[in-house]
């Protein structure tokens, strides 16, 4: 979202005009036509962001009843893809068009005020009649938007759905200059431990949104304050203690953000942030780190692809300083090498200065430019078939070990052509079964 203007005064006589253009959205007008006499109210982020002068593309609507029928009619008219969200828990339907996402929530006989009370924060409890323009604000959400305050709507806001603890952190990082009330912090902290009961996929989706925030530090600071981190990523207690120094965690994250901003290469910010939080939860133990990633994947907190990236970053303890090791570092990390470099530089005292880090990145970039093909996709100097036919070896582990050593030395720049590769292969073949 991009700031465009200061928030409107809740007491303004022109509050209805503030929502006029929003209410004229084609999808909302189609919904009103389909609903007939049934009430339809705009709620959620679009209302909030309109008042804050922020851009948005997601709309949330509460309807009086028969939400599925209304959703089908609007989906056909737009056109849009219809996804049923709630299952047996609640009636909610998502319409996905090219430039818009519309969520339709069916009150299922409940009152509008009861629906507003179930919302997480007061700034999301405001409702606007799509047809009438009437603004309904039972919990003073307009005032909290004006004052830039994040306040729980009720005492059960977080206990009823602990995932809202993560959402609170996301809004803290997403909304400019908002603060969280003390009571809201207390309620969130008391429910943070309940996150382990939430389905892993729901947690993962919210974490992914958090980790992509431009202002991730604000969100992370709140998560650390609420002890969500490192608890959420802590490996099984029998595998070792979690590291809980919040000051060191935040210091590392600040250094990481600085490093990511310094590089001109493409970086995967979300992966680097997650890797650093994982590293802080397990310390420098590589096995604990691998176990933590495995746990996260098993619980559904990370995807298989993300887990692979995390394992790749957590494999390294320090930035390599020798040229041969740097070439191997580049090869193993591939396109992720700038991200890995930023992550490792945030974990360790070296490089100690921004200038040293810039020089280090420049040295890696030069290696990529000068020896890119040799480093990232080297042609094999010896094949397994060659080893079997020319050296009389049997196919198996020994052949694989020889090829692995030759490949690594080739990447590191320590082999100059086929002759040296064959000389090394013969020497290795004369050794015992293990290299």
């Amino acid at each position: 979202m991009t700031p465009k203007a200061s928030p409107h005064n809740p007491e303004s006589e022109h509050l209805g005009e503030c929502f006029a253009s929003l209410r004229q959205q084609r999808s909302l007008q189609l919904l009103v036509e389909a609903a007939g006499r049934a009430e339809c109210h705009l709620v959620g982020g679009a209302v909030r962001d309109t008042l804050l002068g922020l851009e948005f593309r997601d709309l949330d609507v509460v309807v009086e009843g028969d939400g599925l029928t209304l959703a089908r009619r609007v989906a056909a008219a737009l056109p849009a893809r219809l996804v049923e969200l709630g299952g047996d828990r609640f009636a909610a339907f998502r319409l996905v068009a090219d430039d818009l996402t519309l969520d339709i929530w069916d009150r299922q006989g409940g009152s509008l005020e009861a629906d507003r009370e179930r919302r997480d924060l007061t700034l999301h409890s405001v409702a606007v009649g799509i047809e009438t323009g009437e603004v309904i604000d039972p919990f003073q959400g307009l005032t909290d938007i004006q004052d830039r305050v994040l306040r729980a709507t009720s005492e059960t806001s977080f206990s009823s759905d602990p995932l809202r603890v993560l959402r609170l952190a996301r809004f803290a990082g997403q909304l400019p200059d908002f603060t969280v009330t003390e009571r809201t912090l207390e309620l969130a902290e008391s429910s943070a431990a309940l996150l382990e009961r939430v389905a892993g996929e729901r947690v993962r989706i919210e974490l992914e949104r958090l980790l992509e925030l431009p202002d991730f530090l604000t969100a992370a600071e709140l998560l650390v304050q609420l002890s969500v981190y490192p608890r959420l990523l802590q490996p099984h207690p029998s595998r070792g203690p979690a590291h809980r120094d919040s000051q060191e965690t935040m210091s590392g994250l600040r250094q990481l953000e600085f490093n990511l901003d310094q590089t001109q290469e493409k970086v995967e910010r979300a992966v680097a942030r997650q890797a650093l939080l994982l590293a802080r939860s397990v310390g420098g133990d590589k096995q604990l780190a691998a176990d933590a990633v495995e746990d996260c994947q098993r619980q559904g907190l990370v995807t298989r692809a993300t887990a692979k990236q995390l394992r790749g970053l957590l494999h390294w303890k320090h930035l390599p300083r020798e040229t041969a090791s740097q070439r191997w570092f580049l090869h193993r990390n591939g396109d992720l090498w700038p991200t890995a470099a930023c992550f490792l530089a945030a974990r360790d005292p070296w490089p100690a200065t921004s200038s040293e880090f810039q020089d280090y990145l420049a040295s890696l970039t030069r290696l990529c430019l000068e020896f890119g093909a040799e480093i990232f996709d080297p042609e094999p100097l010896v094949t397994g078939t060659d080893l079997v036919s020319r050296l009389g070896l049997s196919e198996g582990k020994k052949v694989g070990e020889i090829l692995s050593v030759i490949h690594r030395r080739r990447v590191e720049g320590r082999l100059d052509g086929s002759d040296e590769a064959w000389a090394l292969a013969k020497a290795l073949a004369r050794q015992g079964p293990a290299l």
Side-chain angles (χ1 to χ4, degrees):
M1 297 183 302
T2 304
K4 296 193 300 185
S6 298
H8 296 265
N9 188 331
E11 302 300 326
S12 171
E13 297 178 358
H14 304 292
L15 187 59
E17 297 177 6
C18 174
F19 297 110
S21 60
L22 176 60
R23 291 165 46 223
Q24 293 304 312
Q25 293 261 353
R26 180 170 178 266
S27 59
L28 299 183
Q29 292 302 305
L30 290 171
L31 181 63
V32 169
E33 292 174 10
R37 294 183 179 180
E39 292 182 346
C40 299
H41 289 88
L42 188 66
V43 298
V47 173
R48 175 199 71 208
D49 292 344
T50 296
L51 290 168
L52 290 169
L54 301 174
E55 295 177 353
F56 60 88
R57 57 174 312 214
D58 297 341
L59 298 174
D60 289 88
V61 173
V62 173
V63 297
E64 190 175 16
D66 205 4
L68 179 56
T69 299
L70 297 181
R72 286 171 174 167
R73 290 175 182 172
V74 178
L78 278 175
R81 178 168 56 92
L82 172 59
V83 181
E84 296 190 33
L85 299 177
D88 297 331
R89 295 181 299 133
F90 53 86
F93 313 95
R94 174 165 295 170
L95 307 185
V96 182
D98 291 338
D99 59 347
L100 176 73
T101 298
L102 172 63
D103 286 351
I104 298 175
W105 302 77
D106 191 336
R107 282 159 38 194
Q108 296 181 292
S111 68
L112 181 62
E113 183 170 349
D115 177 84
R116 300 297 82 215
E117 188 175 7
R118 287 195 296 269
R119 299 297 156 175
D120 52 359
L121 302 170
T122 57
L123 79 172
H124 296 142
S125 68
V126 183
V128 179
I130 298 175
E131 188 172 17
T132 65
E134 179 188 10
V135 178
I136 300 170
D137 181 25
F139 299 100
Q140 290 73 55
L142 294 172
T143 299
D144 285 342
I145 292 174
Q146 172 69 21
D147 295 341
R148 282 180 154 79
V149 169
L150 298 175
R151 185 192 312 274
T153 303
S154 72
E155 292 290 296
T156 60
S157 284
F158 299 103
S159 59
S160 63
D161 184 1
L163 187 68
R164 290 174 171 178
V165 176
L166 297 182
R167 285 169 54 88
L168 175 66
R170 173 161 63 85
F171 293 132
Q174 177 180 323
L175 299 174
D177 303 321
F178 271 70
T179 58
V180 185
T181 68
E182 287 298 324
R183 182 55 182 160
T184 301
L185 285 173
E186 292 171 0
L187 293 171
E189 185 172 13
S190 67
S191 297
L194 301 178
L195 272 169
E196 63 185 27
R197 304 179 186 177
V198 180
E201 183 179 3
R202 292 186 68 212
V203 175
R204 174 179 59 78
I205 292 172
E206 192 59 48
L207 284 177
E208 288 174 346
R209 300 179 73 178
L210 264 166
L211 291 164
E212 293 286 355
L213 286 174
D215 185 11
F216 174 70
L217 286 177
T218 298
E221 190 167 12
L222 185 54
L223 290 175
V224 170
Q225 179 182 350
L226 297 176
S227 298
V228 173
Y229 283 118
R231 179 193 290 136
L232 193 61
L233 303 176
Q234 182 177 351
H236 192 277
S238 64
R239 296 174 182 156
H243 290 242
R244 296 181 175 274
D245 191 321
S246 59
Q247 290 186 348
E248 285 192 18
T249 298
M250 289 310 304
S251 177
L253 285 172
R254 283 190 287 270
Q255 184 62 53
L256 175 64
E257 295 301 303
F258 180 80
N259 294 346
L260 293 167
D261 289 339
Q262 289 294 301
T263 179
Q264 300 299 314
E265 306 288 342
K266 179 182 177 182
V267 291
E268 300 291 340
R269 288 180 177 267
V271 175
R273 291 162 172 170
Q274 185 81 311
L276 190 63
L277 288 166
L278 271 165
R280 288 298 309 149
S281 73
V282 299
D285 190 306
K286 291 174 65 173
Q287 187 56 53
L288 279 179
D291 291 344
V293 174
E294 182 181 346
D295 284 347
C296 287
Q297 184 179 352
R298 184 170 53 251
Q299 295 170 38
L301 300 179
V302 298
T303 64
R304 179 181 300 179
T306 299
K308 181 179 179 180
Q309 291 178 314
L310 290 171
R311 280 191 288 267
L313 266 61
L314 292 166
H315 169 81
W316 307 90
K317 285 190 175 181
H318 308 284
L319 284 170
R321 301 199 192 190
E322 300 298 327
T323 300
S325 299
Q326 289 174 355
R327 288 173 62 124
W328 185 243
F329 171 82
L330 291 169
H331 175 79
R332 285 293 302 269
N333 286 289
D335 292 340
L336 204 62
W337 75 259
T339 305
C342 291
F343 160 69
L344 290 169
R347 288 190 68 183
D348 297 310
W350 187 87
T353 66
S354 174
S355 177
E356 286 180 346
F357 182 58
Q358 286 292 332
D359 290 343
Y360 187 83
L361 290 176
S363 69
L364 295 182
T365 301
R366 284 194 297 271
L367 285 174
C368 293
L369 293 174
E370 189 171 355
F371 303 105
E374 294 180 21
I375 291 173
F376 295 109
D377 190 23
E379 294 183 6
L381 298 175
V382 176
T383 67
T385 301
D386 293 335
L387 293 176
V388 171
S389 62
R390 293 181 59 176
L391 299 183
L393 297 174
S394 300
E395 293 184 4
K397 182 178 179 181
K398 181 70 174 181
V399 169
E401 290 176 339
I402 293 174
L403 291 175
S404 178
V405 172
I406 291 174
H407 172 71
R408 176 158 184 166
R409 294 194 184 182
R410 165 78 160 153
V411 169
E412 292 176 341
R414 295 196 286 158
L415 283 180
D416 187 13
S418 297
D419 291 343
E420 289 190 11
W422 272 109
L424 176 60
K426 292 174 183 178
L428 293 172
R430 289 193 294 268
Q431 296 178 9
L435 299 176

